[in-house]
Amino acid sequence: MSRFDVWAPRAESLELLAAGRQYAMERADGGWWRLPEDAAVPAGEVDYGYRIDGADKPVADPRSRRQPDGVHGLSRTFDPAQHSWTDAGWRSPGLSGGVIYELHVGTFTPEGTLDAAAAKLDYLAGLGVDHVELLPVNAFNGTHNWGYDGVLWYAVQESYGGPAAYQRFVDAAHRQGIGVIQDVVYNHLGPSGNYLPQFGPYFAAAGSNPWGDSINLDGPESDEVRRYIVDNALMWFRDFHVDGLRLDAVHALHDERAVHILEELSAATDACAAELGKPLFLVAESDLNNPRMIESRTRNGLGLDGQWSDDFHHAVHVNLTGETSGYYADFDSLGALAKVLAGGFFHDGSYSSFRHRHHGRPIDKEHVTTRQLVVCTQNHDQIGNRAAGDRLSATLDYGSLALAAVLNLTSPFTPMLFMGEEFAASTPWQFFTSHPEPELGEATSQGRLREFERMGWDPEIVPDPQDESTFTNSKLLWSEVEEGDHARLLQLYRELIRLRRQEPELTNPDLRAVAVDFDEDRRWLLLRRGRVTVAFNFAEDERRIEAGPGRLLLATDPDAKLDGALTLPRKSAAVLRRQGEGTA
């Protein structure tokens, strides 16, 4: 494929505008258009666009790598080979149970750029994270956005620094010993700057999902649409040295073909990993609770390396906050948390009162490992989709935040942190947009209000997503990391991550090696992983728990004691190694 080839089966005529000149393109096989062999487009960096059927305004390349003037402007060529990589010695650990740190480029630092984020990588290395996961960075309209309104999947948002800055970020992360996971959205496009329908049938003829028109994965001419997705995934691996992709809301990918698009992505990723000689992985966001997502392709699974488990978040959230509305209702017990810890899912064929039906199926512990489930106590959705975008730190005390930290970082699964949770950030994480079109901005603001009114929230506490303060209020305050309980919690996170690396039981991939005991009435729970036991007291009073002889490895409260039995103060947790092999 040459640099200006474009798939446009709907076009009757197509002209390339490049470097201020116009070139008539020729139709080729399969709906593709190419330049004539004698077309002399200048070499090097070129601004360009396509005039479809004689239209006055040229539109961007669907595979554009740069949009210096926004998604409604011309594309600009970008040569990824111009970057001199320094990460030849980098060895990705893959999805091995290490800690993932989810961040949004625009609000992680005051500057909101990739270069500014790269300057904070030493902090993340000191924290001990294994991978940083970037929320979507593909080009969107406006100056700031969550990232889920992107319309040009191959272009890195210019206000973040564009593709060259992205390469610098990944290179810097690898130098710090940190892998990079990119969040990608293949289930919908944003509402402004989406010109794909002018080129071809990128969207399904009928049907939509909650965020927009469904992608054409199984209809007529869907072969090239699927190729568009697969090629994009491979671009992140090859041109940007990304280690893994997080696939947004895969339950919204409607595909009735015999080989599902996720299976196709999985096979292409494995082939690319073999070609590049390094681990590459895919993690799905899925609310289906279907283990087939992460079963191997040889077992008729889709072959993804991991998936999010929302059930873990819900069980932790309810047991710490007492909130039981909506989808939280079924998780109102320590028993629910115990079931998730031991089995990965709570809804494994059980009745879901939120869905008014049975949901999910059990995980086969012989073929699925603990590392394949990515869990968290906070993430961009679970915070940002609250009316006020309030974090756990807005309502919970230090003891409860410490419980959340221990639950996440000693769980059997792959733990993920959301930026700022490690120091109890006081800033909210709110839903923000910057749609330049007044009518779209108004529709977004009013739609947000109606959504929360239906859920019974006070509209007075719902921030206007179009107000710039909603965006700026969501930026982290880095001065907090050295203050009071913020610094105290940060130190706990560092110690927990160190302990997770130090104690092999905490990353044992065998789900069959997990045992849980709990007392619903007395509100304590024991998570047993080999000779390591993690004890939790969710009660408002001290609890004395028979945990067996051993030594205390970590406690969130200095008054915790192990003297035959374990004494845990209110809202506290402890990690101990039971007496026997490996005990000092």
Side-chain angles (χ1 to χ4, degrees):
M1 183 187 301
S2 66
R3 62 178 179 160
F4 297 114
D5 289 359
V6 64
W7 186 63
R10 286 182 173 168
E12 295 297 325
S13 66
L14 199 67
E15 294 167 322
L16 172 72
L17 179 67
R21 294 182 58 188
Q22 193 163 293
Y23 303 85
M25 301 191 74
E26 297 176 344
R27 190 187 297 274
D29 294 339
W32 284 85
W33 293 74
R34 297 192 171 98
L35 283 175
E37 291 185 6
D38 59 354
V41 180
E45 195 174 82
V46 173
D47 288 352
Y48 70 102
Y50 297 96
R51 284 199 172 102
I52 302 173
D53 296 337
D56 293 334
K57 183 181 182 299
V59 294
D61 183 356
R63 292 175 180 245
S64 169
R65 293 300 192 94
R66 282 196 67 187
Q67 290 298 126
D69 298 315
V71 297
H72 295 289
L74 293 176
S75 301
R76 180 172 294 172
T77 56
F78 171 74
D79 181 3
Q82 291 299 306
H83 181 76
S84 298
W85 290 94
T86 63
D87 65 349
W90 162 248
R91 293 294 177 266
S92 169
L95 193 66
S96 58
V99 178
I100 299 171
Y101 189 95
E102 185 188 37
L103 70 84
H104 177 268
V105 172
T107 53
F108 183 58
T109 64
E111 300 87 349
T113 65
L114 286 155
D115 286 334
K120 299 294 293 185
L121 286 167
D122 57 345
Y123 163 83
L124 296 179
L127 180 60
V129 304
D130 294 271
H131 293 284
V132 60
E133 179 175 313
L134 301 182
L135 269 65
V137 297
N138 53 301
F140 55 80
N141 197 24
T143 57
H144 52 269
N145 190 279
W146 261 33
Y148 297 88
D149 285 330
V151 291
L152 288 166
W153 291 350
Y154 286 71
V156 175
Q157 175 66 13
E158 201 71 16
S159 59
Y160 292 164
Y166 193 97
Q167 290 178 314
R168 292 194 296 271
F169 176 86
V170 175
D171 217 357
H174 288 171
R175 286 197 299 272
Q176 291 279 4
I178 298 173
V180 178
I181 302 170
Q182 182 56 57
D183 190 345
V184 291
V185 184
Y186 295 142
N187 55 64
H188 76 283
L189 280 87
S192 180
N194 173 18
Y195 296 104
L196 291 184
Q198 296 184 28
F199 288 89
Y202 282 89
F203 297 94
S208 61
N209 59 56
W211 309 287
D213 293 336
S214 294
I215 306 299
N216 175 24
L217 298 173
D218 54 9
E221 298 186 275
S222 58
D223 286 358
E224 286 296 344
V225 180
R226 295 164 74 98
R227 180 182 174 189
Y228 183 69
I229 292 172
V230 172
D231 285 354
N232 180 256
L234 298 180
M235 176 199 77
W236 293 110
F237 295 138
R238 289 174 175 151
D239 296 345
F240 294 108
H241 290 206
V242 161
D243 302 285
L245 299 177
R246 180 262 190 188
L247 309 176
D248 180 67
V250 299
H251 43 273
L253 297 172
H254 180 82
D255 185 4
E256 296 292 338
R257 289 170 65 158
V259 178
H260 194 281
I261 184 62
L262 294 177
E263 184 178 354
E264 189 173 339
L265 276 169
S266 168
T269 298
D270 287 350
C272 186
E275 169 197 330
L276 299 178
K278 62 181 182 180
L280 302 172
F281 57 89
L282 301 175
V283 177
E285 181 201 14
S286 170
D287 71 354
L288 300 176
N289 282 25
N290 186 354
R292 182 171 177 254
M293 198 72 62
I294 48 179
E295 289 269 15
S296 70
R297 296 191 302 277
T298 58
R299 289 177 50 80
N300 202 34
L302 298 179
L304 302 184
D305 302 276
Q307 74 149 86
W308 283 18
S309 173
D310 285 346
D311 286 4
F312 179 88
H313 169 273
H314 300 345
V316 172
H317 189 90
V318 172
N319 279 284
L320 291 179
T321 68
E323 293 182 21
T324 57
S325 60
Y327 51 67
Y328 289 137
D330 294 336
F331 297 86
D332 188 18
S333 66
L334 272 184
L337 178 57
K339 182 178 179 181
V340 173
L341 289 169
F345 294 151
F346 175 75
H347 285 304
D348 55 3
S350 59
Y351 184 77
S352 166
S353 63
F354 176 70
R355 297 174 178 85
H356 303 287
R357 59 170 175 80
H358 287 75
H359 182 65
R361 67 184 300 171
I363 287 173
D364 184 341
K365 296 181 182 181
E366 290 189 17
H367 295 100
V368 171
T369 72
T370 60
R371 298 169 179 176
Q372 291 180 267
L373 296 182
V374 176
V375 300
C376 66
T377 60
Q378 302 180 72
N379 65 37
H380 73 277
D381 270 334
Q382 299 298 341
I383 301 170
N385 286 334
R386 297 172 65 81
D390 52 315
R391 298 168 177 263
L392 289 179
S393 53
T395 52
L396 298 185
D397 61 10
Y398 174 84
S400 295
L401 293 174
L403 277 174
V406 178
L407 278 163
N408 196 12
L409 290 168
T410 65
S411 81
F413 314 114
T414 294
M416 185 177 75
L417 317 180
F418 181 66
M419 61 177 197
E421 81 166 69
E422 74 278 8
F423 60 86
S426 66
T427 50
W429 166 252
Q430 297 171 334
F431 178 71
F432 47 81
T433 55
S434 60
H435 299 306
E437 303 91 340
E439 66 283 358
L440 181 56
E442 179 66 15
T444 301
S445 299
Q446 293 303 313
R448 189 78 172 168
L449 284 174
R450 288 193 299 271
E451 176 185 351
F452 285 107
E453 283 177 341
R454 287 195 300 269
M455 297 169 62
W457 291 83
D458 180 358
E460 293 298 318
I461 70 169
V462 181
D464 182 355
Q466 282 286 110
D467 190 325
E468 188 171 1
S469 66
T470 304
F471 167 63
T472 56
N473 289 344
S474 298
K475 288 178 177 278
L476 293 177
L477 295 177
W478 284 100
S479 60
E480 292 183 335
V481 300
E482 300 175 351
E483 300 172 353
D485 278 348
H486 297 292
R488 183 184 175 197
L489 190 68
L490 177 58
Q491 184 58 31
L492 174 64
Y493 270 82
R494 287 173 174 154
E495 291 175 2
L496 282 166
I497 294 173
R498 175 190 56 78
L499 194 66
R500 186 174 180 87
R501 287 180 168 175
Q502 178 179 303
E503 301 296 328
E505 289 95 334
L506 293 180
T507 51
N508 182 352
D510 191 349
L511 195 50
R512 296 167 297 184
V514 178
V516 184
D517 299 315
F518 66 97
D519 187 317
E520 195 75 60
D521 295 329
R522 292 181 55 76
R523 301 287 293 159
W524 59 259
L525 182 145
L526 295 179
L527 170 62
R528 301 187 189 276
R529 316 226 15 228
R531 294 194 179 277
V532 172
T533 296
V534 191
F536 303 90
N537 177 14
F538 293 86
E540 291 291 345
D541 305 305
E542 179 182 279
R543 291 289 181 262
R544 191 164 171 80
I545 308 167
E546 294 299 327
R551 65 184 176 97
L552 213 53
L553 301 177
L554 177 146
T556 63
D557 191 300
D559 292 331
K561 295 190 295 289
L562 181 61
D563 53 3
L566 177 64
T567 300
L568 279 181
R570 67 170 292 277
K571 297 295 177 77
S572 69
V575 183
L576 58 118
R577 175 172 284 283
R578 297 198 309 280
Q579 201 170 69
E581 180 184 347
T583 302

